[in-house]
Amino acid sequence: MSIVQILLEKDVPCTLRDGTVLYADIYRPNMDGTFPILLTRLPYNKDLPMYSHRYLDTNRMVQNGYVVIVQDVRGRFASEGEFVPFLYEAEDGYDTVEWAAELPFSNGRVGMFGLSYYGFTQLLAATERPPHLHAIAPAMTLYDWRENTVETGGKFLVGSSETWALESIAPDQINRKYKDPKQHAEMMAKMAEHYNRIEEWYLYKPIQDWPPLKELGVADFFYDLVGDKWSEDQWDRVNITNKYHNIEVPAYHIAGWYDNFLQATIQNYTKLSEMMDSDQRLIIGPWGHGLFSSILGERSFGIHASGDWIDQKEDLTNLHIRWFDHWLKDKNSALFEEAPIKLFVMGINKWRSENDWPLARTKYTPFYLHSGGGANTRFGDGFLSCEKPEKEPVDTFMYDPANPVPSNGGGTLFAGVNTLGPLDQREIERRDDVLVYTSEPLERALEVTGPIKVILWAKTDAADTDFTAKLIDVMPDGKAYNLTDGIVRAMYRNGRKQEEALNEEVVQYEIDLWATSNVFLPGHQIRVEISSSNFPRFDVNFNNGTTTLDGTKYTTANQTIYHNVEYPSHILLPVIPSNKN
């Protein structure tokens, strides 16, 4: 279908079951007939293409015979009501889908698209089973507003939570609250000043008294979250992990190796695939959150890595059109002649199709931590190898909460410099509180694709503490690029709901590093960093049962890392046989 003219209708009302009116912009073919609907629901202003369209050419969607609807969610911008993150999105999503299906130019078939917050509005709506929702395409999104969004295993996500509340939510709430022009201007100026100083504000403690939002008088939900004031019923409403069985629509999941929602997006795909395998698809590129360029951090992966020219075949818009053409137009799509998973393998920088996650041919291989020798000479550093350790001395370091290890790239989402993607870690590795274990240079290429974890045996003299781990690809010239990382809080080592004390004993910790896909090329080295902090990505553990979230006083912790016959600390790598490279 070739459509030249596009008709735009602004601020079209949708009345919800409780009488609240939400407003949407509708882009549709300027011609007679009915068409399938592509809907997105977001809190970031339907009028701003950077947010409402972002990575897709919605004009091209209309030109291909779709009506595109972009709606402000409850309590945001043009829409009525009170904004509470995600709390009403399931029911509001259901009502909006059914409203869209009844519009005079609709053929009754609705699909949804969008990333991040407006990826989750799709999944939440799908849990309510709206009859006219036929397919979704959630990109870089979550499965739970609490886990991996506000916190990870009890560790508060400082940078992302503070950035999101101040940058993305506060301005519109200032607009809605302060109608006097002078007062409004003052508050907007204060908001800008706070945001310009946000790297200083990350340091403020306790976070539960964080001044910027209190001074502005907006985003009260932030203090409810950090004060743990939400009820279990509220948390359940913003969590789909026990509602996957309610989701009966096909979904195309879009993820990035350096996205802060990588783990959640992969889980959404795998859990839904268990119930309807043929209707789920997954693509993972070398991307960051909402960033689909071929360049990320300090690395370039080639133009074919870009979302604008995936594998030199198509862009993300065309991928969406093919997906929705199949489900909303009954077109036979070559998409279903392809494998369900498309991965970008870093290192060799190639796209590859797969049928399973984790890959069925994976050989989970432990690389053990050893003391001294090998590729390093600095005291406290060690080496990695597949040989099990025997009798070896321990490694120790002191963790000082007053001087936490700074976050340096990774799968993050917060304001500041050096916050996202693959960055050289050598400056971090010079710190005395970062232990570095490096393999000998590889003689042959080694592919690592899949979920990764570190099994660490450690002891601390603190009442509580954290342990971190990071997987690094070391170039022949010494540059050390991070692939993935993780953290565990000692008291929550066996789960968020199983708080356990420490008694200066050797404890086994499992540190989830999420996943990656990378070929360590000949001459490269595999490296693992071990430490106790990653700030401001995570709150700082004060080693006494409090953190920057709720405390002001701290103590240092003496950390002991074990790697011997009895306590064989290691990283478990998903090694892929080389004949598939």
Side-chain angles (χ1 to χ4, degrees), residues 32-161:
D32 294 334
T34 59
F35 309 90
I37 304 290
L38 294 180
L39 167 69
T40 191
R41 306 184 58 254
L42 74 164
Y44 302 128
N45 195 350
K46 62 181 175 56
D47 298 328
L48 296 179
M50 172 58 188
Y51 276 125
S52 62
H53 305 169
R54 196 154 185 153
Y55 59 106
L56 299 178
D57 183 349
T58 49
N59 286 340
R60 185 147 40 107
M61 289 176 165
V62 179
Q63 289 171 331
N64 278 270
Y66 289 96
V67 173
V68 174
I69 300 179
V70 184
Q71 183 189 68
D72 289 332
V73 300
R74 180 187 294 254
R76 298 294 290 169
F77 294 92
S79 291
E80 297 176 356
E82 178 187 0
F83 176 72
V84 182
F86 299 112
L87 198 60
Y88 306 105
E89 304 303 0
E91 296 86 353
D92 290 359
Y94 178 103
D95 290 356
T96 301
V97 167
E98 295 307 297
W99 161 80
E102 296 298 323
L103 291 170
F105 41 77
S106 169
N107 70 358
R109 291 187 171 188
V110 180
M112 296 183 74
F113 69 94
L115 68 85
S116 196
Y117 192 107
Y118 41 122
F120 202 37
T121 57
Q122 302 171 57
L123 291 161
L124 287 168
T127 65
E128 295 290 304
R129 298 177 177 173
H132 293 92
L133 182 62
H134 286 251
I136 59 177
M140 298 181 171
T141 195
L142 47 151
Y143 57 71
D144 180 5
W145 169 230
R146 185 175 199 167
E147 184 64 24
N148 290 333
T149 311
V150 174
E151 61 180 49
T152 294
K155 298 164 293 295
F156 183 68
L157 299 171
V158 179
S160 60
S161 296

Side-chain angles (χ1 to χ4, degrees), residues 23 46 68 93 98 151 189 269 374 416 456 462 495 498 557 559 580:
Y23 291 90
K46 62 181 175 56
V68 174
E98 295 307 297
E151 61 180 49
Y269 168 77
L456 187 73
Q498 302 179 53
Q559 318 289 51
K580 288 293 290 186

Side-chain angles (χ1 to χ4, degrees), residues 4 56 115 142 167 239 299 323 367 381 400 459 508:
V4 177
L56 299 178
L115 68 85
L142 47 151
E167 174 196 37
N239 177 4
R299 301 191 70 177
W323 175 250
F367 280 72
D381 285 344
D400 183 359
K459 184 172 70 173
Q508 179 182 336

Side-chain angles (χ1 to χ4, degrees), residues 347-404:
I348 58 173
N349 294 343
K350 293 181 179 179
W351 288 99
R352 193 171 67 213
S353 297
E354 296 289 349
N355 290 306
D356 312 283
W357 184 271
L359 279 56
R361 62 188 183 279
T362 303
K363 305 295 184 185
Y364 290 99
T365 306
F367 280 72
Y368 295 97
L369 279 56
H370 294 270
S371 294
N376 295 286
T377 57
R378 198 189 74 182
F379 174 77
D381 285 344
F383 67 98
L384 285 177
S385 81
C386 292
E387 295 183 8
K388 288 186 176 181
E390 296 182 356
K391 186 177 181 180
E392 294 190 6
V394 298
D395 291 326
T396 63
F397 65 92
M398 185 187 74
Y399 159 49
D400 183 359
N403 183 27

Side-chain angles (χ1 to χ4, degrees), residues 32 88 95 101 110 117 139 141 167 182 233 244 264 314 319 391 402 404 438 471 486 524 532 535 544 564:
D32 294 334
Y88 306 105
D95 290 356
V110 180
Y117 192 107
T141 195
E167 174 196 37
K182 182 178 179 181
D233 176 67
Y244 283 122
E314 66 178 343
L319 184 108
K391 186 177 181 180
T438 310
L471 176 63
H524 288 224
S532 285
F535 178 80
N544 57 14
N564 54 38

